[in-house]
């Protein structure tokens, strides 16, 4: 070991080298098209990684906005920068990335899009992990940064919580969920030896197929918790990125085709478990994301989307559906397959939410089997009975009424085929999470959940039966009610059994009513606390706690109706006025916009005018 490096060993047992003066071993391929506003920032973020970066290969895909000239001028003062200008636009991201890959001379390569940046230390972290673990691929945490707010959301954080080495991808099938190519470092010789390239031409979601080709080659992979990529999300741009522009059904067609090819690549390489996991990922991620937005589209889009989805899901086999059959994505997929035309879109949207909500009605067949609906009895919900309460798609209604005398929030938890009564909901904890800064949270009170009339009567009846059973058991010990051999313990055991039977009876009573019971709670919203950071949007989050200590984090369905989801100006002693706007998100959940003072009100008015004018 030379004096300039330090060798450490982590809990996974692999060696990581932290080098004070790393060798220049990494190439960063930057691609761009008509992105003069951002491309030099991306290139500079790659050059700023330091001595580990031997070369930055900037591929301009025949831009018309002067991007190539900006890059040429930058290269005049930066010898590590090589600019390649394609003579014809490829229509996609795959071809320019392949062009850059062909020009790379370094042992390792990374990819960077022109509108994103590499954070400081990204290359060093990935290079140290790859060399220390003798890995062909190293991956790290990508964060999605919403602009202009600056809010950051980690991408697939479960994969990148700790340092780890995965000898073969099949040992961690969760890897198929991270389809990005930009938050990873690849050994160049590994890509070339296996002929791993991106799909050419206009092929949206090219990184889905590229990632499948990488995993199919069974590389040794090192994972690090470091932030290694900042993905800029600019939803207000006139030209949205491919991943954000989901307004046309062709986007969905491209995504399903990319997922189909990824499955075939993995299956063809003998990676059966990874192929199954890729299909599961499609149901849990892609399908749910588009279903949440389906109600926003016109009828023609919905019909085309439904037809495409049915054709894609028809390729799934029995094993694909049998794995985790109560998962929301699988239930949604089975409903789509069961119906030739779009149906139940509001209810599917609720189930596609995160966390999922299965909204009433809760139908049954004649023999009592839980099913999706009376019209779609072939989609059984029986698997929900075996799902732990902490993972159930619980439905909570939220009714928010702003007013001068207080803004009241009313909550109602629905029964779900007797499972809720069986678990015994006790309290619900309320919190409001700031949309642009998830670390800012306003905690509300912990509220007692009160059974509503229907299930309260059922529970009382069952409890009465249980008490009678306990009395009978206690008097069954010996003559005259005295305990026989082992009497006290025997009577207590019998009474306990009878009490348990009573609790089971309460759950059974809820089931026999068709699972229509509800529990409710009510509180006053602290608008001053929500107004403290200024103009902002808040998402409602709830935690339901049950009798046995289990809990379930949920969002709440926003009720609509007379006087609900209306903007109100609420008098405030501190701010003069608060503009309060309850609204429903794309997934049907309740959220709240708050604008304090005259300045806040004017800010909201200006924003609405900009939207109208554009």
């Amino acid at each position: 070991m030379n004096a300039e490096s330090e060798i450490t060993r982590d809990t996974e047992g692999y060696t990581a080298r932290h080098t004070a003066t790393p060798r220049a071993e990494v190439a960063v391929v930057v691609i761009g098209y008509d992105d003069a506003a951002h491309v030099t920032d991306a290139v500079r973020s790659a050059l700023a990684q330091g001595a580990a970066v031997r070369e930055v290969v900037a591929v301009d895909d025949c831009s018309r906005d002067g991007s190539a000239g900006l890059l040429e001028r930058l290269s005049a003062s930066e010898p590590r920068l090589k600019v390649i200008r394609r003579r014809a636009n490829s229509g996609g991201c795959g071809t320019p990335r392949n062009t850059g890959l062909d020009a790379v001379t370094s042992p390792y390569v990374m990819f960077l899009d022109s509108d994103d940046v590499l954070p400081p230390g990204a290359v060093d972290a990935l290079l140290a992990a790859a060399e220390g673990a003798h890995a062909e691929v190293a991956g790290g945490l990508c964060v999605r940064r919403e602009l202009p707010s600056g809010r950051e959301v980690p991408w697939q954080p479960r994969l990148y919580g700790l340092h780890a080495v995965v000898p073969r991808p099949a040992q961690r099938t969760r890897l198929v969920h991270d389809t990005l190519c930009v938050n990873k470092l690849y050994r160049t010789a590994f890509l070339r030896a296996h002929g791993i390239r991106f799909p050419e031409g206009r092929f949206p979601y090219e990184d889905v197929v590229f990632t499948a080709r990488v995993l199919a080659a069974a590389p040794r992979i090192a994972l690090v918790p470091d932030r290694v990529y900042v993905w800029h999300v600019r939803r207000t741009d006139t030209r949205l990125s491919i991943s954000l522009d989901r307004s046309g059904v062709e986007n969905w067609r491209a995504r399903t085709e990319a997922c189909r090819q990824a499955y075939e690549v993995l299956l063809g390489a003998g990676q059966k478990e990874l192929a199954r996991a890729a299909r599961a990922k499609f149901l849990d991620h892609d399908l749910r994301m588009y279903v949440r937005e389906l109600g926003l589209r016109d009828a023609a889009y919905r019909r085309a989307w439904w037809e495409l989805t049915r054709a894609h899901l028809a390729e799934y086999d029995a094993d694909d559906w049998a794995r985790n059959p109560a998962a929301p994505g699988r239930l949604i997929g089975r409903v789509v397959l069961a119906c030739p035309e779009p149906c139940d879109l509001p209810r599917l949207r609720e189930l596609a939410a995160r966390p999922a909500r299965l909204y009433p009605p809760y139908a049954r067949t004649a023999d009592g089997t839980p099913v999706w609906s009376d019209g779609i009895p072939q989609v059984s919900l029986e698997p929900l009975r075996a799902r732990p309460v902490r993972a159930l798609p619980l439905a909570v209604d939220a009714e928010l009424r702003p007013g001068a005398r207080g803004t009241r929030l009313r909550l109602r938890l629905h029964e779900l085929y007797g499972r809720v009564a069986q678990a015994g909901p006790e309290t619900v904890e309320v919190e409001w999470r700031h949309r642009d800064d998830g670390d800012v949270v306003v905690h509300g009170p912990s509220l007692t959940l009160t059974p509503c009339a229907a299930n309260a009567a059922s529970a009382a009846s069952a409890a009465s039966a249980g008490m009678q059973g306990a009395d009978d058991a206690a008097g069954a010990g010996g003559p005259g009610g005295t305990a026989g051999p082992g009497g006290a313990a025997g009577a207590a055991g019998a009474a306990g059994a009878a009490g348990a039977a009573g609790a089971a009876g309460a759950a059974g009573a809820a089931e026999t009513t068709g699972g229509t019971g509800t529990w409710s709670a009510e509180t006053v919203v602290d608008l001053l606390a929500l107004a403290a950071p200024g103009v902002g949007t808040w998402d409602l989050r709830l935690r339901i706690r049950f009798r046995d200590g289990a809990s379930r984090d949920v969002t709440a369905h926003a009720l609509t109706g007379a006087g609900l989801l209306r903007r109100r100006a609420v008098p405030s002693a501190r701010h003069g006025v608060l503009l309060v706007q309850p609204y429903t998100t794309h997934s049907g959940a309740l959220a709240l916009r708050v604008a304090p003072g005259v300045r806040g009100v004017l800010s909201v008015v200006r924003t609405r005018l900009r939207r109208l004018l554009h």
Side-chain angles (χ1 to χ4, degrees):
M1 181 174 69
N2 62 52
E4 294 178 340
S5 64
E6 176 186 359
I7 305 296
T8 61
R9 189 173 298 273
D10 77 352
T11 56
E12 295 284 338
Y14 78 92
T15 303
R17 181 183 293 115
H18 305 283
T19 307
T21 55
R23 299 186 302 276
E25 295 195 321
V26 178
V28 181
V29 174
V30 184
I31 64 166
Y33 169 67
D34 279 358
D35 197 15
H38 308 118
V39 66
T40 54
D41 289 338
V43 169
R44 286 192 176 98
S45 77
L47 293 169
Q49 295 296 307
V53 174
R54 176 190 294 182
E55 56 189 340
V56 176
V57 180
V59 182
D60 179 77
D61 202 9
C62 197
S63 295
R64 301 161 298 179
D65 67 345
S67 296
L70 292 174
L71 292 170
E72 292 288 358
R73 286 193 289 276
L74 184 58
S75 69
S77 59
E78 179 48 74
R80 291 181 296 167
L81 175 59
K82 177 181 181 180
V83 179
I84 301 175
R85 186 176 189 188
R86 291 182 47 79
R87 295 182 178 180
N89 179 257
S90 68
C93 297
T95 297
R97 286 200 186 117
N98 289 336
T99 299
L101 182 58
D102 290 339
V104 163
T105 63
S106 304
Y108 296 92
V109 62
M110 292 182 66
F111 300 100
L112 172 62
D113 290 346
S114 62
D115 52 350
D116 301 329
V117 294
L118 298 179
V123 169
D124 286 346
L126 291 172
L127 181 59
E131 292 197 322
H134 306 290
E136 288 84 15
V137 179
L141 184 66
C142 168
V143 294
R144 290 167 51 106
R145 180 181 291 165
E146 298 273 351
L147 297 175
S149 70
R151 177 196 182 201
E152 292 190 349
V153 179
W155 172 260
Q156 297 299 326
R158 287 173 55 185
L159 275 174
Y160 301 106
L162 298 169
H163 287 273
V165 174
V166 184
R168 294 183 304 279
Q171 294 179 334
R172 188 168 297 188
T173 57
R174 182 78 190 178
L175 288 165
V176 302
H177 284 252
D178 183 10
T179 54
L180 300 181
C181 69
V182 290
N183 60 330
K184 300 175 183 71
L185 176 84
Y186 305 90
R187 193 180 293 275
T188 310
F190 162 76
L191 296 180
R192 290 174 176 165
H194 292 277
I196 299 173
R197 298 172 68 79
F198 293 89
E200 294 277 351
R202 181 162 181 76
F203 190 102
Y205 304 107
E206 76 294 329
D207 46 356
V208 173
V209 178
F210 177 84
T211 299
R213 291 171 178 171
V214 169
L215 296 178
R220 184 176 174 87
I221 301 175
L223 306 176
V224 300
D226 305 69
R227 288 161 45 110
V228 301
Y229 197 86
V230 178
W231 173 2
H232 285 147
V233 179
R234 297 178 173 89
R235 300 184 189 276
T236 58
D237 283 3
T238 55
R239 190 188 74 189
L240 293 175
S241 67
I242 290 173
S243 60
L244 291 179
D245 188 6
R246 299 193 290 268
S247 58
V249 76
E250 288 306 312
N251 177 279
W252 180 240
R253 188 190 305 276
R255 187 182 284 261
T256 55
E257 177 58 26
C259 291
R260 179 183 292 108
Q261 288 196 25
Y263 171 80
E264 291 172 351
V265 165
L266 293 167
L267 194 64
Q271 301 283 0
K272 192 171 183 178
E273 286 301 311
L274 287 174
R276 295 278 187 210
R279 280 188 166 175
K281 171 259 176 188
F282 175 84
L283 295 172
D284 183 62
H285 174 69
D286 305 79
L287 183 64
R288 291 174 71 177
M289 176 169 57
Y290 281 71
V291 164
R292 288 195 293 271
E293 300 173 353
L294 198 53
L296 305 175
R297 312 303 183 194
D298 60 30
Y301 176 101
R302 292 196 295 266
R303 284 193 299 270
W305 184 93
W306 201 269
E307 182 180 352
L308 283 169
T309 307
R310 281 168 56 82
H312 182 70
L313 296 180
E315 300 173 4
Y316 283 38
D317 59 29
D319 284 346
D320 292 318
W321 299 110
R323 299 186 177 201
N324 196 7
R330 281 176 173 78
L331 294 178
I332 293 169
R334 290 170 60 204
V335 171
V336 172
L337 276 178
C339 300
E341 297 290 335
C343 68
D344 290 351
L345 298 189
R347 198 165 182 233
L348 289 173
R349 178 189 68 171
E350 299 281 334
L351 189 57
R354 294 190 183 278
R357 302 184 299 269
L358 182 59
Y359 205 66
Y362 304 120
R364 294 176 183 272
T365 58
D367 64 1
T369 302
V371 293
W372 176 259
S373 67
D374 292 334
I376 313 176
Q378 61 269 47
V379 178
S380 172
L381 301 184
E382 183 68 25
L384 289 176
R385 293 188 177 188
R387 203 167 177 84
V389 69
R390 65 180 180 276
L392 285 174
L394 300 181
V396 178
D397 290 333
E399 176 184 314
L400 188 70
R401 293 186 180 273
R405 297 183 179 181
T407 296
R408 305 201 69 81
L409 174 67
R410 297 183 178 92
L411 303 171
R412 184 175 62 179
L413 167 66
H414 290 274
E415 179 58 275
L416 187 62
Y417 297 113
R419 293 299 315 285
V420 179
Q422 185 181 38
E426 293 187 335
T427 61
V428 56
E429 298 168 7
V430 178
E431 71 174 31
W432 296 91
R433 189 173 295 274
H434 199 279
R435 176 73 58 80
D436 293 332
D437 187 349
D439 293 332
V440 178
V441 177
V442 173
H443 293 280
S446 178
L447 309 172
T448 299
L449 283 164
T450 304
C452 297
N455 48 319
S458 298
S461 174
S464 175
M467 288 301 293
Q468 181 62 48
D471 290 342
D472 292 344
T482 57
E511 284 213 65
T512 58
T513 62
T516 57
T518 57
W519 291 258
S520 65
E522 185 173 335
T523 187
V524 175
V525 178
D526 186 354
L527 290 182
L528 287 179
L530 299 183
V535 178
T537 299
W538 299 84
D539 292 305
L540 177 63
R541 296 288 187 268
L542 306 171
R543 174 168 293 172
I544 300 170
R545 295 194 180 276
F546 297 90
R547 184 171 47 234
D548 65 354
S551 65
R552 173 60 163 151
D553 291 337
V554 299
T555 55
H557 165 80
L559 287 180
T560 59
L564 298 176
L565 304 185
R566 293 176 56 188
R567 185 181 297 108
R568 293 284 301 273
V570 178
S572 168
R574 180 177 301 176
H575 301 284
V577 65
L578 292 175
L579 193 62
V580 181
Q581 170 68 73
Y583 76 100
T584 179
T585 67
H586 286 174
S587 67
L590 179 69
L592 184 63
R593 294 190 185 99
V594 178
V598 176
R599 183 175 298 179
V601 173
L602 291 176
S603 173
V604 172
V605 171
R606 284 194 297 268
T607 300
R608 288 184 60 82
L609 286 174
R610 282 197 298 269
R611 289 176 180 172
L612 290 172
L613 293 174
H614 292 86

